Amino acid sequence: MHDDRTLIEARLKRVLDERIRPAVYPESVPLDVAVWTAPGEPVPVEEGLAAHPEPTKVGAAWGAPWATSWFRVTGTVPTDWAGKSVEAVLDLGFDENMPGFQCEGLVYRPDGTPVKGLNPRNQWVRIAAPATGGEDVHLHIEAASNPVILDYHPFLPTQLGDKETAGSEPQYKLARMDLAVFDETVWQLVIDLEVLGELMVELPEDSGRRYAVVRAVGRALDAVDLQDVNGSAAAARAELEGVLATPAEPSAHRISAVGHAHIDSAWLWPLRETVRKVARTTSNMTALIEDEPDFVFAMSQAQQWAWVKEHRPEVWAKVKKAVADGRFVPAGGMWVESDTNMPGSEAMARQFVHGKRFFLDEFGVENDEAWLPDTFGFAAGLPQIIKAAGSKWLLTQKISWSQTNRFPHHTFNWEGIDGTRIFTHFPPVDTYNCSMKGSEIAHAAKNFKDKGVARHSLAPTGWGDGGGGTTREMIAKAGRLRDLEGSATVEWETPAAFFEKAEAEYPNAPVWVGELYLELHRATLTSQAGTKQGNRRSEHLLREAELWAATAAVRSAEFAYPYEELDRIWKTVLLHQFHDILPGSSIAWVHREARATYAAVADELNGIIEAAQRALAGDGGTGTLVFNSTPHTRDGVPAGGARPAAIDGQSAIASRADGGYVLDNGLLRVEIDARGLVVSAYDIVADREAVAPGQAANLPQIHADFPNMWDAWDVDEFYRNTVTDLTEADAVEPVEGEGGASVRVVRSFGDSRLTQVLSLAPGSTRLDIDTEVDWHETEKFLKLAFPLDIHAERYASETQFGHFYRATHTNTSWEAAKFEACNHRFVHMEEPGWGVALVNDSTYGHDVTRTVRASDAGTTTTVRASLLRAPRFPDPETDQGVHRFRHALVPGAGIGDAVREGYRINLPERRITGGADVAPLVTVDNDAVVVTAVKLADDGSGDVVVRFHESRGGRARATLAAGFPVGSVDVTDLLERPLADATAPERSGDGVALTLRPFELVTLRLTRA
């Protein structure tokens, strides 16, 4: 037989496009349309419904960027349509290739009842099935004219990303506003042909099954009367029944389809628009659940559920019912799908605390899985946080985007820094927007790396990013793929059902140890410095607020612990850790609002801190109390306590013979040359130089930075090929002032200006570097380099509840790909017995490289802190303006010193006049055990909750002593619930004896006697 596959494939495409799909709606009549445009931000539903719209028509332009238009559509079902299914087809001017990235609508009845959302792949609204004829139709559409930011030519700078710069030009034209007859038989024929057409091109060319499908499709097309598609559709479907009924092979890969709409909590739209995106999507999904008995939809991000509850109570009622029926599933147990590289220890914990508690309080649902399909890599501290929250599984997909190395597993156990293992799955379908295409299903089966030992994978199914969710077409395709020869099998299941099956069939899954590094989007560690600084400072202010408020509440009956305020502020900070906000990859509007939000958060938290400290200090006395919020004793002030500080020693400044200055405090001697560069940082006690010979530290360097794509997200390795050292100084001069010896350095470059103050405080072993940059560059990358005379094949980088090691070499492609990486408060390099730390107050990105010097064969290990970038997409004004950073170089630092100095630079001392010292609420007698939180229990009981971990990577024995009478002591999970299998802590009066394994995280709940 002749091979006519391509002939039939081409025939199928044209007949579907030009004859069969148009016949789904064989008859239509226009609706009457009127429109009212809200004058500013979106208005309440009742106001939109009550507005007086003006007549408009199909073809009319509408929608300034970010505006809201309320369309009223009215009409009457023709009497001769009685007995037929009737739908409204409402096309706002959609581009079907851009679901989630353009205009959208939510349809209401006149009484305000939401019907369903409208988006490019979901333009229908059911009117009657069947119709009686003569029904009046009256619908309202709340339509958002969100502009297209990521267009067909992506990454072009645009002013559309902020309503303040976007202008008023209409973005769309109404394309269709009709009542139409819906021919379900033709629609089902479309699905039949799509499923088989997509399947046959994926089958092996020499397989009998492929030819059986080809022949059946050919017969079906022969049966279609192109002049009467509606009359012949049933006959065409009959020709396909045989090939659609042939069951799958017993060994076929099995896919758990989970209804899904990955909705970015902000990205190419502002937060307020996400509130409406969620309402549209949940309206669609609850409607689908009513129509489709097998369909299951999962939605993560408790924040988005909370938005529906707060802003769309009418939608919330439908959601609650669907949850009760087990069909609409809360997933993930986090407040948002956050970045996991940059959030600090407590913040990462609170993502789970607030997320899981919301689902427990609202629905009684306990999430066992973390659900993070789109997050840009995963920090090595995350597994024990997941476990400590009471969860045990993780799903993500983004690692498949890595550019250099392909991850070797799809299902595996991920081991974190403390040894905790979490059962983890990467869907081999390689998308979190699966649409049930044959190519997607075939790819999942072929791509699955664990064949032979496992056979289950998960497919998040539905339009995402900007929302939309699953469509009736996807559900219909999945029904045909449930048991179909040549295909993987597809079954709608909850995430928990999938994980239970996957874990049961793969009890000895392979282990991956350490971070899940994404070999892409590395620049998200630096873009939008203001957002990152706001996050870091908010995290530490929250630590202070909880610590001092808890201390004051326990010590004084008159001080009320601010439960509601802290709960609200935590949720605000957690929201802004979403994986397109904190990473700096959202539009200008998002980051402008974020900066304002962080300023308001800081004001409120500073008020709470001041009130608590004032209550503790008392009104009497004239002495100055220094409040120490760090977990280590500081200048004689105990951790979590207050008393006058005791600083020994002094620091001096002298001129260098060949220009510049020398700072010396008897512990550290720093030489700053005439260029304002550090040419020596000498550890006097250890008799050891930190700066590599012949090189200079604190060296600003600037690179051209124009990645191949994804401007705000990516920095490509070739950026290193060109570098300019900023060695010219406008001024290098001593600074008068308290607190030690200082030198100011001023530099001009391009259109920007950099000012640094280098300080050496009495009794300190660190060089403090305060940097201010008035930044007006574009497509540039600014770094601060420290070439160190240290031989280190690896270095430590702080992450949540500990640190982990990365290589300084590039032996393999895996190490070479980590040319830009994340740290929290410190990086640390060490030879046996002597090391150096670089600590920071608000930066995350860095790189570490090593070279061997020709002069003495010694090794130079260079660490560079990433300060600023200047991408032009999606925010063309990224980071323009003034920024301030603090770093400190700590020669002679062990890992414990790095931990201590990292906290110190992030938690400045606070001074208040008071009459009496403040004893700590809790103390720990081993500096290796770091307390990350002291607070009152969230349930309002007044119990004191203390969270701590071993911070140095070794075993630790310690005693935690309470500064108040203690009743019972429980070891709890992150949600402050006693752990049933925990060993009862060893008590001694009001103290608890502890033995911790490396990096072990512990939460104790202490009742007050």
Side-chain angles (χ1 to χ4, degrees):
M1 183 177 290
H2 297 295
D3 186 352
D4 59 354
R5 287 174 296 124
T6 57
L7 186 68
I8 291 178
E9 290 164 9
R11 180 188 182 194
L12 173 62
K13 182 180 186 308
R14 185 175 186 191
V15 172
L16 268 173
D17 288 346
E18 297 184 22
R19 292 293 188 271
I20 302 178
R21 288 194 185 99
V24 169
Y25 292 112
E27 302 176 73
S28 63
V29 295
L31 289 160
D32 294 323
V33 187
V35 63
W36 173 78
T37 300
E41 281 294 277
V43 299
V45 173
E46 55 271 19
E47 184 176 340
L49 296 175
H52 299 288
E54 298 293 327
T56 188
K57 59 183 179 180
V58 168
W62 72 279
W66 306 114
T68 300
S69 298
W70 282 84
F71 291 96
R72 184 187 66 198
V73 293
T74 55
T76 303
V77 176
T79 55
D80 59 354
W81 288 4
K84 300 178 180 180
S85 293
V86 178
E87 296 182 348
V89 183
L90 308 173
D91 185 344
L92 300 174
F94 296 125
D95 180 341
E96 289 194 3
N97 295 316
M98 288 192 171
F101 292 92
Q102 52 176 286
C103 61
E104 300 170 33
L106 181 55
V107 179
Y108 295 89
R109 295 190 178 92
D111 64 0
T113 303
V115 180
K116 67 187 295 288
L118 298 176
N119 62 61
R121 298 296 181 96
N122 208 327
Q123 303 175 20
W124 60 275
V125 176
R126 182 177 295 114
I127 300 300
T132 57
E135 294 97 329
D136 288 331
V137 177
H138 189 147
L139 300 172
H140 295 263
I141 308 167
E142 181 190 17
S145 49
N146 302 331
V148 176
I149 306 294
L150 191 67
D151 213 334
Y152 286 98
H153 187 165
F155 318 122
L156 290 180
T158 175
Q159 296 295 327
L160 290 171
D162 196 329
K163 65 176 181 178
E164 295 183 353
T165 60
S168 58
E169 188 70 21
Q171 300 292 293
Y172 300 98
K173 290 184 178 179
L174 285 183
R176 186 175 183 183
M177 293 277 151
D178 287 348
L179 277 180
V181 170
F182 174 68
D183 189 327
E184 185 172 356
T185 302
V186 175
W187 182 82
Q188 295 285 5
L189 175 60
V190 170
I191 303 300
D192 291 343
L193 289 171
E194 285 183 352
V195 167
L196 292 171
E198 291 163 3
L199 172 66
M200 68 184 183
V201 298
E202 298 295 335
L203 293 168
E205 291 186 3
D206 59 353
S207 73
R209 173 63 169 169
R210 179 162 181 165
Y211 282 91
V213 173
V214 168
R215 298 295 161 231
V217 169
R219 292 193 301 272
L221 294 176
D222 290 342
V224 174
D225 182 346
L226 298 183
Q227 310 307 314
D228 184 13
V229 172
N230 301 86
S232 57
R237 292 200 71 201
E239 296 293 343
L240 302 174
E241 288 177 356
V243 289
L244 284 169
T246 308
E249 296 91 343
S251 61
H253 184 69
R254 297 182 177 182
I255 293 177
S256 297
V258 177
H260 187 238
H262 172 69
I263 304 177
D264 286 312
S265 290
W267 180 28
L268 304 181
W269 46 86
L271 287 167
R272 65 89 155 147
E273 191 55 33
T274 314
V275 175
R276 302 199 296 175
K277 283 178 176 286
V278 174
R280 297 172 198 130
T281 298
T282 52
S283 294
N284 271 346
M285 297 305 97
T286 52
L288 265 185
I289 284 169
E290 292 175 2
D291 291 344
E292 304 289 346
D294 294 331
F295 177 56
V296 176
F297 182 77
M299 190 168 86
S300 67
Q301 307 191 73
Q303 171 68 86
Q304 295 187 1
W305 293 71
W307 279 334
V308 177
K309 181 181 179 182
E310 178 183 358
H311 297 284
R312 290 290 195 270
E314 66 283 2
V315 180
W316 180 248
K318 293 185 175 183
V319 169
K320 287 193 72 173
K321 180 182 182 304
V323 172
D325 292 340
R327 307 280 303 287
F328 200 123
V329 181
M334 295 176 68
W335 191 247
V336 294
E337 289 182 15
S338 73
D339 180 80
T340 74
N341 287 311
M342 291 176 281
S345 302
E346 272 304 307
M348 200 74 256
R350 304 300 176 95
Q351 285 286 352
F352 288 91
V353 169
H354 287 283
K356 294 196 77 168
R357 185 170 289 140
F358 181 89
F359 293 142
L360 282 164
D361 290 347
E362 295 294 335
F363 308 114
V365 171
E366 173 95 17
N367 292 103
D368 285 326
E369 78 289 332
W371 184 275
L372 293 164
D374 191 30
T375 297
F376 308 153
F378 298 87
L382 188 58
Q384 81 161 327
I385 298 174
I386 295 173
K387 182 178 180 181
S391 298
K392 57 185 178 181
W393 301 316
L394 169 66
L395 178 133
T396 184
Q397 183 271 321
K398 201 71 168 189
I399 298 299
S400 69
W401 286 38
S402 285
Q403 290 180 317
T404 306
N405 299 284
R406 290 185 63 80
F407 198 79
H409 317 293
H410 280 109
T411 303
F412 61 100
N413 284 301
W414 178 30
E415 182 177 317
I417 57 175
D418 74 316
T420 297
R421 292 180 176 180
I422 294 295
F423 189 78
T424 302
H425 181 66
F426 292 167
V429 71
D430 277 350
T431 178
Y432 44 78
N433 296 326
C434 177
S435 61
M436 284 292 138
K437 284 184 180 177
S439 56
E440 294 170 335
I441 302 306
H443 176 74
K446 294 173 185 176
N447 187 40
F448 187 57
K449 290 183 171 61
D450 303 284
K451 297 181 184 75
V453 288
R455 60 188 298 194
H456 284 83
S457 71
L458 187 147
T461 302
W463 300 116
D465 291 315
T470 318
T471 65
R472 63 181 176 182
E473 288 79 12
M474 296 175 194
I475 294 173
K477 284 188 171 186
R480 288 157 175 80
L481 296 170
R482 185 179 182 91
D483 191 13
L484 182 63
E485 183 186 358
S487 172
T489 66
V490 176
E491 182 178 4
W492 293 105
E493 292 192 296
T494 65
F498 160 75
F499 273 109
E500 286 169 357
K501 290 180 179 178
E503 194 170 28
E505 77 174 356
Y506 207 7
N508 298 310
V511 177
W512 181 270
V513 178
E515 67 179 329
L516 296 172
Y517 178 92
L518 178 63
E519 296 169 354
L520 191 73
H521 292 358
R522 303 167 181 90
T524 57
L525 303 173
T526 305
S527 297
Q528 296 288 0
T531 300
K532 290 171 171 57
Q533 288 183 334
N535 174 72
R536 177 77 69 84
R537 291 167 185 171
S538 296
E539 288 179 353
H540 287 85
L541 285 169
L542 277 161
R543 172 197 174 89
E544 291 188 83
E546 289 183 338
L547 169 64
W548 301 120
T551 305
V554 171
R555 297 278 163 73
S556 171
E558 297 178 359
F559 185 88
Y561 190 80
Y563 290 102
E564 293 183 3
E565 293 89 338
L566 290 171
D567 180 78
R568 171 175 45 79
I569 294 169
W570 262 118
K571 288 173 179 174
T572 298
V573 173
L574 298 177
L575 166 59
H576 286 79
Q577 291 177 340
F578 178 75
H579 66 252
D580 276 308
I581 303 179
L582 181 54
S585 47
S586 289
I587 55 174
W589 188 347
V590 173
H591 293 289
R592 171 172 57 79
E593 288 190 333
R595 291 189 292 271
T597 297
Y598 284 130
V601 162
D603 286 345
E604 189 168 4
L605 288 173
N606 277 316
I608 292 171
I609 294 164
E610 183 178 356
Q613 291 180 341
R614 175 54 55 204
L616 289 164
D619 297 326
T622 59
T624 299
L625 297 179
V626 175
F627 281 77
N628 175 18
S629 302
T630 75
H632 309 94
T633 298
R634 174 177 183 162
D635 298 332
V637 182
R643 66 172 57 162
I647 302 175
D648 295 326
Q650 59 184 1
S651 58
I653 184 168
S655 299
R656 293 178 79 240
D658 57 350
Y661 299 91
V662 179
L663 309 179
D664 193 329
N665 66 1
L667 300 173
L668 186 63
R669 183 170 63 247
V670 177
E671 295 191 35
I672 302 165
D673 70 7
R675 302 170 297 173
L677 302 177
V678 175
V679 292
S680 175
Y682 190 74
D683 179 351
I684 296 172
V685 176
D687 190 22
R688 174 73 184 261
E689 174 62 58
V691 179
Q695 300 197 50
N698 189 45
L699 171 64
Q701 296 180 309
I702 196 163
H703 298 265
D705 182 21
F706 189 63
N708 288 344
M709 55 194 303
W710 298 107
D711 296 44
W713 295 256
D714 282 358
V715 56
D716 290 328
E717 192 171 12
F718 55 72
Y719 89 94
R720 291 179 170 179
N721 296 345
T722 55
V723 60
T724 301
D725 293 343
L726 304 179
T727 59
E728 298 296 322
D730 302 340
V732 180
E733 57 195 13
V735 178
E736 296 292 335
E738 298 180 2
S742 301
V743 172
R744 178 186 291 115
V745 181
V746 182
R747 307 182 193 280
S748 299
F749 61 97
D751 295 321
S752 303
R753 184 179 178 89
L754 183 148
T755 302
Q756 291 185 304
V757 176
L758 287 70
S759 304
L760 183 59
S764 173
T765 58
R766 70 186 183 278
L767 173 66
D768 290 312
I769 304 166
D770 290 5
T771 303
E772 178 181 290
V773 187
D774 190 3
W775 180 246
H776 298 285
E777 307 306 304
T778 58
E779 295 168 352
K780 295 289 193 294
F781 197 178
L782 180 65
K783 285 183 170 267
L784 195 59
F786 296 84
L788 304 172
D789 187 14
I790 195 165
H791 179 84
E793 294 181 358
R794 66 177 190 171
Y795 71 96
S797 175
E798 189 185 32
T799 189
Q800 294 99 3
F801 299 110
H803 60 268
F804 69 104
Y805 292 95
R806 296 189 184 95
T808 60
H809 60 74
T810 54
N811 279 0
T812 73
S813 58
W814 294 88
E815 286 99 19
K818 296 182 181 181
F819 59 82
E820 184 78 6
C822 182
N823 69 283
H824 288 189
R825 288 170 290 237
F826 70 80
V827 292
H828 178 257
M829 290 131 287
E830 188 172 28
E831 294 176 4
W834 193 86
V836 181
L838 181 67
V839 301
N840 73 84
D841 79 332
S842 59
T843 59
Y844 296 91
H846 70 277
D847 68 85
V848 178
T849 56
R850 65 197 300 269
T851 58
V852 175
R853 302 186 293 270
S855 59
D856 63 354
T859 301
T860 297
T861 302
T862 301
V863 56
R864 300 195 305 165
S866 303
L867 301 186
L868 290 165
R869 297 184 68 238
R872 302 186 66 210
F873 182 87
D875 176 4
E877 302 297 323
T878 301
D879 281 334
Q880 301 299 295
V882 176
H883 302 270
R884 295 177 178 86
F885 309 94
R886 296 185 68 213
H887 292 81
L889 184 69
V890 193
I895 195 70
D897 302 307
V899 174
R900 183 188 66 250
E901 296 297 343
Y903 273 102
R904 183 173 184 131
I905 200 171
N906 281 274
L907 289 162
E909 61 188 23
R910 293 176 183 260
R911 297 173 180 267
I912 287 185
T913 301
D917 294 355
V918 178
L921 197 59
V922 295
T923 60
V924 179
D925 64 358
N926 185 341
D927 268 359
V929 178
V930 168
V931 174
T932 61
V934 178
K935 60 190 288 293
L936 295 193
D938 290 342
D939 61 7
S941 62
D943 294 351
V944 175
V945 172
V946 186
R947 189 148 35 247
F948 51 89
H949 70 286
E950 195 289 319
S951 67
R952 300 181 185 177
R955 297 189 179 270
R957 293 182 64 85
T959 298
L960 183 145
F964 58 91
V966 175
S968 62
V969 178
D970 287 307
V971 181
T972 75
D973 65 7
L974 294 179
L975 278 71
E976 303 166 5
R977 303 174 297 190
L979 294 174
D981 57 350
T983 302
E986 182 182 337
R987 295 283 304 276
S988 177
D990 293 325
V992 181
L994 307 165
T995 301
L996 278 70
R997 67 177 186 272
F999 300 127
E1000 183 178 0
L1001 165 64
V1002 179
T1003 304
L1004 294 183
R1005 180 170 181 150
L1006 290 70
T1007 62
R1008 292 148 62 186

